[in-house]
């Protein structure tokens, strides 16, 4: 049974930089049923439903998600953030 009030959350866990391959961003999706999904994505890729990974700020150590409606979520490392 679902826990009432639980939401799907995303956590930005880090960035991988490999020689000649550009950056890959690691995120974890945590679902209300307790399941987790680890992602390793390029900028511009879909994270969850309509949310895409749109920006990386190395100074702030944040990534930005945007959806089709123009909403923005700024994710700080290791800080779970509600998606819905």
């Amino acid at each position: 049974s679902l826990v009432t009030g639980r939401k799907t959350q995303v956590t930005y866990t880090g960035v991988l930089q490999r020689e000649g391959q550009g950056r890959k961003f690691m995120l974890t999706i945590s679902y209300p049923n307790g399941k987790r999904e680890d992602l390793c994505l390029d900028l511009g890729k879909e994270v969850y439903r309509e949310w895409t990974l749109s920006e990386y700020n190395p100074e702030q150590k944040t990534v930005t998600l945007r959806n089709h409606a123009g909403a923005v979520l700024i994710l700080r490392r290791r800080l779970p953030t509600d998606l819905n």
Side-chain angles (χ1 to χ4, degrees), residues 3-82:
V3 180
T4 49
R6 294 274 320 259
K7 298 183 183 221
T8 299
Q9 292 188 317
V10 61
T11 306
Y12 164 49
T13 55
V15 59
L16 283 176
Q17 183 118 33
R18 291 215 185 93
E19 202 60 41
Q21 290 187 13
R23 295 184 179 107
K24 294 274 190 188
F25 298 91
M26 293 172 291
L27 301 105
T28 300
I29 307 287
S30 302
Y31 297 98
N33 64 5
K35 286 193 173 147
R36 292 160 57 102
E37 182 181 2
D38 292 317
L39 306 174
C40 186
L41 301 172
D42 296 313
L43 284 180
K45 297 295 183 189
E46 184 178 282
V47 174
Y48 175 78
R49 293 189 180 162
E50 74 271 19
W51 292 97
T52 57
L53 183 60
S54 68
E55 288 171 40
Y56 171 56
N57 185 324
E59 291 79 29
Q60 302 287 326
K61 297 184 174 60
T62 59
V63 294
T64 302
L65 305 187
R66 290 180 195 274
N67 71 9
H68 301 316
V72 170
L73 278 178
I74 295 175
L75 306 181
R76 299 191 175 283
R77 278 190 68 177
R78 300 190 186 90
L79 187 70
T81 303
D82 289 350

